[in-house]
């Protein structure tokens, strides 16, 4: 994927666009039946998703693109919820 689709910094924080998140999870799970709303909800419930503006905004905008910020140390645990 291109660097404007996702980025991982040295603290293992993942910055990912909504479409990249959905497409990545569909490939990981080998299914097309996972709505991005469920993925985001599960990430938020697992405290893996960083929220903004007093916890109500789920994405930030940079260079005209919205993205989610995910704790990379929590992503493996999150993915195991779908197995």
């Amino acid at each position: 994927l291109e660097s404007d689709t996702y980025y991982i910094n040295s603290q293992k924080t993942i910055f990912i666009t909504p479409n990249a998140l959905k497409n990545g999870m569909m490939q990981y799970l080998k299914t097309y039946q996972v709505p991005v709303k469920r993925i985001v909800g599960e990430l938020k419930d697992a405290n893996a998703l960083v929220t903004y503006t007093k916890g109500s905004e789920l994405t930030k905008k940079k260079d005209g693109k919205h993205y989610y910020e995910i704790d990379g140390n929590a992503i493996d645990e999150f993915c195991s919820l779908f197995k």
Side-chain angles (χ1 to χ4, degrees):
L1 295 172
E2 297 175 16
S3 62
D4 64 344
T5 306
Y6 79 97
Y7 171 76
I8 302 171
N9 69 13
S10 60
Q11 288 80 37
K12 292 187 73 178
T13 302
I14 302 162
F15 302 91
I16 189 166
T17 62
N19 281 340
L21 178 64
K22 182 176 180 181
N23 291 336
M25 288 305 299
M26 288 188 313
Q27 286 182 343
Y28 176 80
L29 298 169
K30 296 178 178 34
T31 181
Y32 294 98
Q33 304 301 317
V34 183
V36 74
K37 186 175 182 178
R38 176 174 176 207
I39 295 168
V40 170
E42 295 286 348
L43 283 169
K44 189 175 178 186
D45 291 346
N47 293 320
L49 185 67
V50 177
T51 57
Y52 309 98
T53 316
K54 298 181 184 173
S56 61
E57 289 293 321
L58 299 178
T59 62
K60 266 193 167 180
K61 193 171 186 179
K62 183 178 181 181
D63 299 328
K65 285 192 168 201
H66 286 274
Y67 65 88
Y68 295 103
E69 186 175 338
I70 301 169
D71 177 353
N73 293 319
I75 198 69
D76 287 334
E77 183 177 334
F78 162 73
C79 290
S80 70
L81 297 173
F82 289 96
K83 291 182 176 180

